[in-house]
Amino acid sequence: MRTPPLPLAEAQARLLALAPSLPVEHRAVTECLGHYLAEDLHARRTQPAAALSAMDGFAMRSADLPGPWRVIGESAAGHPFAGSVGAGQATRISTGAMLPHGADMVLLQEDSERDGDGLRLTGELPQPPSRHVRPAGMDFTAHETLIAAGQRVGPAQIALAIAGGHSHLPVRRRVSLTVIDSGDELVAPGHLPDLHQLPASNGPMLCALASCLPVDIRHAGPVEDKLDHLAGALDAASAADVIVTSGGASVGDHDLVRPALEALGASIDFWRVSIKPGKPLLVATRGRQVILGLPGNPASAFVTAYLFLLPLLRAMLGARDALPRTFPARLATPMARGGGRMEFLRAVWDGAHVALDPLQDSGALSPLSRANALVVREAGADAKPAGTDVPVYLLENGGIA
C-alpha cells in the first residue's frame, strides 16, 4: 500500500491515535524525572503550615508600632518560640522561623537597634507591616491541585511533590523501544567504512534523541537488505512497545521495511508524508505495537523522529501536549520561496535571530550538528526577507520544555 502523501497535521493525528495507553504505576518521586503525571496530584499538607518570617529581624505586633519593645525570646528555623508575644514585646526571629503566637509582623534587624532586652526602631517600617511575613498557605493549601495530569515532571515538580507530602507519583510505565538500522552499505560504529560504505550513525542518533524521555531502548543492527534478515530483526522485537527502523522505507528495490512488516502480519496505516526532508515515512501496527519506518538520510531520520517518534512516545507516557510547539523568530538572512512540500530547515537561533544553514541536503550531518532550531517553510510560501518572523522549533533536549 502506497498512500498519497499526507499533510503533516493529519499524519501526526493518525499516529497519535494509534498510541497505546500504558499501565499506571506508582514510582518513587526521585525516580520520576522526565515522566508525565497520570493523574492530578493533590497536596496532602499546607505550605507553609504556619506563618514564617521571610527575613532576619524581630517579630512583634503591628499594633505596637512604632515601639519601643522588650525582647522576650527567640524563634529560629526548626525551633519556634514556645510562648506568645504580648503588648510591647518582641522576639528575635530568623529567616524561615515560625512567627510566635500574637505576632503579625517582622522588623528587619538593619532597621532596629537592640540594647540588652530593649529594642527600638532606627530605620524604615515595613510597608505593609506584613511585608516580611510568609502567611500560612502562601505556596499551597491541603487538597489543592499541585501538578495537573499530563504535566512533565522536572526538578521543580519533584521538589513540589515532596513538599506536598508525596513520596511516590502516579506515572505511566517506561516505554520499551527497539531501534533498527538497515542497509547493506552500513558499517557498525568503531569500524572505518570502505568507499562504498557508510557508518551506521542513524541508530545511535535516534537512541540519543529518545533518551530524553523515560524509555528503555534496545539498538539492533545494522541489518542487511535481505527480507528474511529484516523480518527476523523485526520479529525479535515483538515485545517492544515501539519499533523504529532507519532506512528501507522508500520505494526502491532494496527498500524492504514494508514487505518485511507485511510478512509478519503488520498493518500499514499510512506511508508517505508531504514534508521535506522525510517524505517516505511509514507507520504500521502489529497488535498494540507501533512501528515507524523512517528514511535513511540522516536529516530525514532526525526530522521525522522529532515530528513523529518523540510525540508518539510522549503520548504513550501520558503527556498533555505531545506535539512540539513553534515560536516566532526573526530571520537573520533571507529565505527563498517554498516548494511543493512543507520544509524543515536546519538553522541556528541566537536568542534574537535565526540563521538558516547554507547546506540543507538531507544526507548532510554537519548542518544538523550545528543546528539548534528547525525553521518551518510552508509549501509554496513566498520568499521572505531578513527581519521577517518565521515559525521555529527549538531542538535542545529533544524539543521538550
Side-chain angles (χ1 to χ4, degrees):
M1 184 187 73
R2 184 179 177 187
T3 59
L6 298 178
L8 174 66
E10 181 181 347
Q12 288 176 321
R14 286 178 62 160
L15 173 64
L16 296 186
L18 300 174
S21 180
L22 299 179
V24 176
E25 58 186 22
H26 285 77
R27 297 178 67 92
V29 63
T30 53
E31 298 175 358
C32 288
L33 182 66
H35 280 267
Y36 297 86
L37 276 188
E39 305 164 6
D40 288 349
L41 192 72
H42 302 285
R44 300 176 63 189
R45 56 179 297 275
T46 294
Q47 174 83 358
L52 305 178
S53 176
M55 304 290 285
D56 291 336
F58 298 89
M60 67 268 294
R61 306 188 324 168
S62 59
D64 295 333
L65 291 172
W69 301 269
R70 182 169 63 88
V71 179
I72 60 170
E74 180 179 4
S75 182
H79 301 280
F81 180 68
S84 298
V85 171
Q89 295 179 333
T91 63
R92 184 79 172 90
I93 196 165
S94 56
T95 302
M98 280 180 55
L99 256 69
H101 179 72
D104 63 356
M105 66 164 285
V106 173
L107 178 65
L108 299 184
Q109 61 183 21
E110 54 264 38
D111 291 329
S112 60
E113 184 177 275
R114 181 176 179 178
D115 183 8
D117 291 339
L119 179 70
R120 66 186 184 89
L121 175 68
T122 59
E124 296 182 357
L125 291 171
Q127 293 296 333
S130 60
R131 176 181 176 186
H132 304 305
V133 175
R134 294 171 179 157
M138 178 194 72
D139 199 355
F140 54 82
T141 58
H143 311 298
E144 180 182 337
T145 300
L146 292 177
I147 309 171
Q151 184 174 348
R152 192 165 191 250
V153 179
Q157 287 73 33
I158 288 174
L160 179 60
I162 292 172
H166 294 275
S167 61
H168 290 73
L169 300 181
V171 296
R172 303 284 173 184
R173 74 155 169 80
R174 294 172 66 89
V175 179
S176 61
L177 168 69
T178 296
V179 177
I180 301 174
D181 288 303
S182 68
D184 287 343
E185 76 280 14
L186 299 181
V187 176
H191 298 82
L192 288 177
D194 290 331
L195 292 177
H196 64 288
Q197 296 176 316
L198 288 171
S201 58
N202 279 2
M205 175 181 70
L206 296 173
C207 291
L209 193 60
S211 68
C212 65
L213 290 165
V215 177
D216 295 323
I217 304 169
R218 174 178 170 266
H219 181 203
V223 178
E224 294 180 69
D225 284 327
K226 293 183 173 62
L227 185 60
D228 57 339
H229 287 211
L230 187 53
L234 291 166
D235 195 44
S238 60
D241 297 312
V242 178
I243 296 176
V244 175
T245 65
S246 171
S250 194
V251 293
D253 292 340
H254 302 284
D255 291 307
L256 302 175
V257 170
R258 181 187 56 78
L261 287 171
E262 291 175 338
L264 294 174
S267 175
I268 309 300
D269 189 86
F270 65 89
W271 182 20
R272 300 194 303 163
V273 182
S274 188
I275 60 174
K276 181 180 179 181
K279 180 181 178 181
L281 171 75
L282 182 148
V283 171
T285 57
R286 181 171 53 169
R288 288 173 53 83
Q289 184 182 70
V290 182
I291 303 107
L292 275 70
L294 307 187
N297 281 322
S300 303
F302 183 95
V303 168
T304 48
Y306 178 81
L307 294 173
F308 291 92
L309 172 60
L310 291 185
L312 172 65
L313 297 177
R314 293 189 200 108
M316 294 174 67
L317 290 164
R320 181 175 52 202
D321 300 310
L323 294 174
R325 295 180 179 179
T326 61
F327 74 98
R330 192 150 296 175
L331 285 171
T333 53
M335 186 168 72
R337 179 180 176 82
R341 287 177 279 161
M342 177 185 287
E343 296 179 68
F344 300 89
L345 308 174
R346 279 68 75 201
V348 175
W349 183 63
D350 64 5
H353 297 84
V354 62
L356 303 179
D357 198 285
L359 179 59
Q360 293 292 331
D361 192 285
S362 62
L365 273 168
S366 56
L368 191 58
S369 71
R370 290 188 290 266
N372 64 0
L374 294 175
V375 171
V376 182
R377 180 165 60 189
E378 297 288 345
D382 293 334
K384 300 188 186 305
T388 305
D389 282 348
V390 290
V392 169
Y393 289 107
L394 277 186
L395 298 180
E396 288 95 338
N397 194 28
I400 301 177

